[in-house]
Amino acid sequence: MSDPVRVDPMVAKVEANPKYHELRRKRNTFGWSMTALMMVVYYGYIALIAFNKPFLAQPIGAGVTSLGVPIGFGVIVFTIVITGIYVRRANGEYDRLTAEILKEASK
């Protein structure tokens, strides 16, 4: 017979810590919310391309640039912004919680 799976005592302490479950819940909720928001923006733009080309093809002013160019640029900027928001939160709140969890588990 094989031995039952042994769990590292440190891992067991971390998994038993309520702050660990709080961290997982907060990180998962925020991550999935940001993912959903990005999907709406990205697929919204793709849907405009697929179903309303005349709208995106409208020229801006007297130039040759169409409305689709700044909207596409906006999608790229939006992606950078939400990445920055996530990184800021991860480096602040999530890192703080992780440090507290590890400190408590190492006692």
Side-chain angles (χ1 to χ4, degrees):
M1 290 190 124
S2 62
D3 291 337
V5 177
R6 292 185 184 178
V7 177
D8 184 333
M10 181 73 147
V11 172
K13 286 181 183 179
V14 167
E15 288 179 343
N17 191 324
K19 287 181 181 179
Y20 171 71
H21 296 284
E22 175 189 355
L23 173 64
R24 286 189 59 195
R25 181 185 49 78
K26 284 182 174 183
R27 191 186 61 209
N28 287 339
T29 301
F30 188 65
W32 282 111
S33 298
M34 297 294 270
T35 299
L37 194 56
M38 184 65 232
M39 298 293 270
V40 166
V41 169
Y42 178 76
Y43 284 109
Y45 182 63
I46 297 300
L48 272 176
I49 292 169
F51 300 113
N52 201 351
K53 285 183 182 134
F55 173 74
L56 293 176
Q58 294 177 45
I60 298 174
V64 295
T65 304
S66 70
L67 189 57
V69 172
I71 293 175
F73 182 72
V75 170
I76 294 168
V77 169
F78 179 78
T79 303
I80 294 167
V81 168
I82 67 168
T83 300
I85 291 168
Y86 184 86
V87 168
R88 182 179 172 103
R89 192 166 198 180
N91 289 342
E93 180 180 356
Y94 301 155
D95 282 356
R96 180 186 49 78
L97 271 171
T98 300
E100 289 174 13
I101 293 164
L102 291 175
K103 183 178 177 183
E104 291 175 13
S106 64
K107 290 181 183 177

